[in-house]
Amino acid sequence: DSGVTQTPKHLITATGQRVTLRCSPRSGDLSVYWYQQSLDQGLQFLIQYYNGEERAKGNILERFSAQQFPDLHSELNLSSLELGDSALYFCASSVDQLLRQETQYFGPGTRLLVL
Amino acid sequence: EDQVTQSPEALRLQEGESSSLNCSYTVSGLRGLFWYRQDPGKGPEFLFTLYSAGEEKEKERLKATLTKKESFLHITAPKPEDSATYLCAALTNSGYALNFGKGTSLLVTP
């Protein structure tokens, strides 16, 4: 158990809909990262938040957005869903201080199926 | 462009048959090289971080090494429970996110 929690575990929805994925980082970790894993693309970085502020963006679509709240949990919002958005979505967290505390610990993931 | 390549894509071993997985990287300024293990449908589980060429780390039957161009994950006398996908990822000076390879799917048969 990494200490990172994600809900829900599974999500089935229809095209055009909007969903919200939730992540709670490990206690004391300030950084939260979101990744998407599909069969053909592997693990792809979407976005990072550090202590409530957006820090880095990867290959995140404009239909997707995220935020990190004062209690440090994060939500990933996916809207106007398409079939191709079906994937595993992982959240990771790290302490993100100086002195090489950058190991990212991953949650169990949310499996999204868009029908 | 930063690139991380893992080989082989898939590997089948007999129990007790040692082998190595390769992770080659072409990145601008490596800050750290990470190894993870992932079981089907689960999140990646952290194994090792390597920071500089020549560094080695061990955990049970696994040993990770790092050179200036690649990293190896050596598996000594594997057991069926070592079956999983092994992922390597690079953290570079140009960003905060991990750049993952596509993984090596390892199957260890009794």
Side-chain angles (χ1 to χ4, degrees), chain B residues 24-71:
Chain B
S24 64
Y25 59 92
T26 308
V27 299
S28 53
L30 183 74
R31 206 154 86 221
L33 192 291
F34 297 77
W35 282 97
Y36 289 84
R37 168 193 170 127
Q38 186 175 26
D39 292 301
K42 303 282 179 69
E45 175 190 343
F46 171 70
L47 294 173
F48 304 108
T49 309
L50 302 165
Y51 290 106
S52 52
E55 191 173 357
E56 299 182 352
K57 288 198 176 164
E58 277 187 76
K59 179 180 175 179
E60 295 179 1
R61 294 177 293 282
L62 300 177
K63 178 177 168 182
T65 62
L66 182 66
T67 73
K68 288 188 178 177
K69 292 184 179 179
E70 56 194 348
S71 178

Side-chain angles (χ1 to χ4, degrees), chain B:
Chain B
E1 184 184 332
D2 294 342
Q3 204 160 9
V4 177
T5 305
Q6 291 188 247
S7 61
E9 284 186 21
L11 182 61
R12 184 183 179 121
L13 298 172
Q14 290 269 356
E15 184 172 3
E17 180 187 359
S18 301
S19 188
S20 294
L21 313 183
N22 177 265
C23 170
S24 64
Y25 59 92
T26 308
V27 299
S28 53
L30 183 74
R31 206 154 86 221
L33 192 291
F34 297 77
W35 282 97
Y36 289 84
R37 168 193 170 127
Q38 186 175 26
D39 292 301
K42 303 282 179 69
E45 175 190 343
F46 171 70
L47 294 173
F48 304 108
T49 309
L50 302 165
Y51 290 106
S52 52
E55 191 173 357
E56 299 182 352
K57 288 198 176 164
E58 277 187 76
K59 179 180 175 179
E60 295 179 1
R61 294 177 293 282
L62 300 177
K63 178 177 168 182
T65 62
L66 182 66
T67 73
K68 288 188 178 177
K69 292 184 179 179
E70 56 194 348
S71 178
F72 293 93
L73 185 66
H74 307 279
I75 303 177
T76 303
K79 298 183 178 183
E81 53 261 43
D82 294 322
S83 298
T85 295
Y86 290 85
L87 299 165
C88 77
L91 188 64
T92 72
N93 290 331
S94 61
Y96 299 95
L98 291 172
N99 189 343
F100 278 90
K102 295 212 170 168
T104 293
S105 176
L106 174 65
L107 176 64
V108 182
T109 57

Side-chain angles (χ1 to χ4, degrees), chain A residues 18-86:
Chain A
R18 173 190 169 95
V19 297
T20 297
L21 282 52
R22 183 189 166 106
C23 167
S24 292
R26 296 187 320 154
S27 177
D29 285 1
L30 299 176
S31 254
V32 169
Y33 310 77
W34 286 97
Y35 290 85
Q36 180 191 57
Q37 188 175 40
S38 55
L39 280 172
D40 56 342
Q41 291 291 327
L43 267 163
Q44 298 283 315
F45 168 67
L46 295 177
I47 196 164
Q48 180 204 1
Y49 277 80
Y50 174 73
N51 204 19
E53 302 282 329
E54 181 185 304
R55 193 181 226 183
K57 261 185 173 178
N59 299 322
I60 188 166
L61 299 171
E62 284 192 14
R63 301 183 284 110
F64 296 1
S65 65
Q67 53 184 330
Q68 186 178 28
F69 295 87
D71 67 352
L72 299 178
H73 91 270
S74 178
E75 292 180 357
L76 179 67
N77 301 296
L78 314 176
S79 61
S80 303
L81 285 167
E82 302 175 359
L83 296 178
D85 298 327
S86 297

